[in-house]
Amino acid sequence: MMQMITLLGATGSIGVSTLDVIARHPDKYAIFALTAHSQVDKLAQQCLQFNPQYAVVSDAAAASRLQSLLRESGCSTEALWGVDALCQVASDSAVDTVMAAIVGAAGLVPTLTAVKAGKKILLANKEALVMAGGLFMQAVAASGSVLLPIDSEHNAIFQCLPAGYTDSNDSGVSKLLLSASGGPFRGQTLEQMRSVTPDQACAHPNWSMGRKISVDSATLMNKGLELIEACWLFAMPAQSVEVVVHPQSIIHSLVQYNDGSVLAQLGNPDMRTPIAHALAWPERIESGVADLDLFEIARLDFEKPDLDAFPCLAIASRAAQTGADAATILNAANEVAVQAFLDERIGFTQIAEVVEQTLNERALSEPESLEAVQEADNQARLHSSAIIKKLDK
Ligand code: NDP
Ligand code: MG
């Protein structure tokens, strides 16, 4: 049967990889809607190739430019704009599956709308789960939505867990081992990383990704966000998730069982594998990823993460254990600090300082509604922006 897909964040790194996999299987998948923020030309090209019913951008001016481009090229796709339009294409009754690949907190509302509509969710947008994990997982349970992780580590863990896994109690799972490449600055000290530039931070040794997640990978905040993501997805306490630095990025994560077995998922570092896995689950489809050549790889190494050089991981781990809205504040402060670093307003090592200071200074509360989460997110953004203003060079 044909799966009808809405792809949120089509023009990004995950979006493009998703379209690459989908293009290999025109008999199985069709696109209902593609969305972007402001890359109108790229989105128009994608519409020409995949002929969706709708294409959504963030503002009216971009939508009008997109609509003209589409008309000129004889494409019947209708251009829409704004958050309401994102929610509409994420929950339309014609849609079976939503790929959530918008970066950052902007992905929360459309993704949650898709969850509430009971869609199959392919979740790349980890920030949505980090900032609103409790509400998000409650909504998944209430709607019966199928939630499949795209993040390579979580997709690996999902593949290594028993079918029908709900939590660790009855399954014999004792620990999740979350792989980390260590990023481009593995082995360096905090002092050595002070003068790192945005381009250096975005040059990941193994993965090609958007700039925000690339910076997160360089600070190891990405692994901290993933630790929180793993706790929500697999109903695990933070103490039972251990980060293992594995520079080759071949083992994408592991599950340890109480009989001493450890199951791992391996593959070349290419997001088309988890994307194809989640699209076809529980079946398997070809993804375009080359076969793994173990003889070529020859060795796999493992290290403990250096928490002194990469304080973001320790800060995120503490936020995971604190609970309440600590992760919401962490995520918001990190998004603001990463943007300030990319804009060359603060240094690389100041990202951790801004996040930690924001967390220390904000009072925590238990977020019981989406509005409460959004308010905590907003206040944390204002707070960290004020901290950055004082640091501004
Ligand atoms: P990119 O920056 O490459 O792409 C982000 C996408 O979101 C683009 O389509 C962008 O549109 C759109 N977008 C950005 N801001 C907004 C907004 N305010 N409203 C609506 N749409 C917006 O990111 P990635 O593809 O790298 O990452 C996407 C998500 O997947 C992130 O949450 C990331 O953590 C996660 N992820 C990514 C991995 C990877 O390998 N890249 C691996 C694992 C997880 P436009 O192009 O017009 O700006
Ligand atoms: Mg990951």
Side-chain angles (χ1 to χ4, degrees):
M1 222 181 61
M2 197 67 123
Q3 249 187 82
M4 194 57 103
I5 296 172
T6 282
L7 172 44
L8 303 173
T11 48
S13 159
I14 293 287
V16 168
S17 294
T18 303
L19 290 176
D20 181 283
V21 176
I22 287 175
R24 291 165 195 275
H25 304 279
D27 54 321
K28 292 191 167 67
Y29 309 105
I31 300 285
F32 177 76
L34 295 175
T35 86
H37 179 50
S38 58
Q39 290 203 71
V40 168
D41 296 285
K42 191 168 180 179
L43 185 60
Q45 283 302 321
Q46 293 177 333
C47 289
L48 282 183
Q49 189 182 351
F50 292 92
N51 198 30
Q53 200 156 332
Y54 298 106
V56 185
V57 285
S58 287
D59 62 57
S64 130
R65 207 162 77 71
L66 176 63
Q67 194 68 75
S68 314
L69 284 174
L70 293 170
R71 275 210 204 98
E72 279 164 24
S73 38
C75 179
S76 62
T77 302
E78 187 179 338
L80 305 173
W81 64 274
V83 177
D84 289 348
L86 288 177
C87 293
Q88 183 192 324
V89 300
S91 58
D92 193 285
S93 61
V95 173
D96 303 300
T97 301
V98 173
M99 165 60 89
I102 291 175
V103 62
L108 175 62
V109 170
T111 306
L112 201 53
T113 304
V115 168
K116 288 179 178 161
K119 303 303 178 193
K120 174 173 155 187
I121 309 291
L122 314 190
L123 185 73
N125 179 212
K126 66 191 83 182
E127 295 92 343
L129 200 53
V130 169
M131 71 187 286
L135 290 172
F136 196 102
M137 295 311 288
Q138 275 166 26
V140 169
S143 71
S145 170
V146 173
L147 178 61
L148 298 167
I150 293 297
D151 216 342
S152 57
E153 297 77 5
H154 307 75
N155 184 271
I157 290 168
F158 181 86
Q159 294 196 45
C160 297
L161 287 171
Y165 172 91
T166 48
D167 60 52
S168 57
N169 294 338
D170 303 319
S171 59
V173 172
S174 54
K175 208 189 229 183
L176 304 180
L177 300 164
L178 204 58
S179 297
S181 69
F185 309 128
R186 184 176 60 88
Q188 296 198 16
T189 62
L190 200 60
E191 205 44 53
Q192 286 171 313
M193 286 183 270
R194 279 197 203 285
S195 54
V196 154
T197 66
D199 283 344
Q200 286 170 330
C202 289
H204 196 278
N206 307 341
W207 298 96
S208 146
M209 308 179 286
R211 282 173 83 78
K212 192 265 177 180
I213 184 178
S214 294
V215 175
D216 285 346
S217 299
T219 59
L220 288 204
M221 180 58 93
N222 183 50
K223 216 44 59 180
L225 299 178
E226 289 185 354
L227 190 155
I228 299 169
E229 185 186 10
C231 294
W232 287 117
L233 283 173
F234 307 117
M236 285 297 255
Q239 298 84 334
S240 305
V241 184
E242 186 173 357
V243 173
V244 181
V245 176
H246 161 47
Q248 292 90 354
S249 296
I250 295 298
I251 297 183
H252 299 305
S253 278
L254 315 89
V255 175
Q256 184 177 302
Y257 286 84
N258 58 13
D259 63 0
S261 298
V262 177
L263 302 192
Q265 186 259 357
L266 286 72
N268 286 316
D270 185 323
M271 289 308 292
R272 289 176 301 174
T273 294
I275 290 166
H277 169 266
L279 272 172
W281 182 84
E283 289 165 17
R284 298 264 178 185
I285 53 169
E286 199 268 323
S287 67
V289 177
D291 286 347
L292 185 63
D293 184 343
L294 285 175
F295 300 108
E296 171 85 9
I297 291 155
R299 57 180 286 175
L300 300 174
D301 296 303
F302 307 97
E303 302 166 5
K304 275 191 188 298
D306 179 349
L307 298 181
D308 296 325
F310 298 97
C312 282
L313 178 55
I315 298 168
S317 175
R318 276 202 302 278
Q321 294 179 40
T322 304
D325 56 0
T328 314
I329 297 168
L330 172 95
N331 180 66
N334 181 57
E335 284 190 28
V336 171
V338 168
Q339 192 56 53
F341 166 67
L342 286 171
D343 296 341
E344 301 190 47
R345 295 178 56 208
I346 61 170
F348 181 74
T349 52
Q350 286 176 313
I351 296 172
E353 294 168 21
V354 170
V355 174
E356 184 160 43
Q357 195 180 335
T358 307
L359 266 170
N360 286 344
E361 292 174 358
R362 301 255 5 123
L364 297 179
S365 60
E366 205 60 60
E368 271 156 17
S369 65
L370 178 59
E371 292 68 35
V373 168
Q374 287 171 321
E375 180 59 14
D377 172 83
N378 249 329
Q379 292 302 327
R381 278 169 201 271
L382 292 174
H383 200 113
S384 37
S385 299
I387 295 171
I388 288 166
K389 210 157 197 176
K390 283 188 204 147
L391 293 172
D392 225 339
K393 293 173 278 195

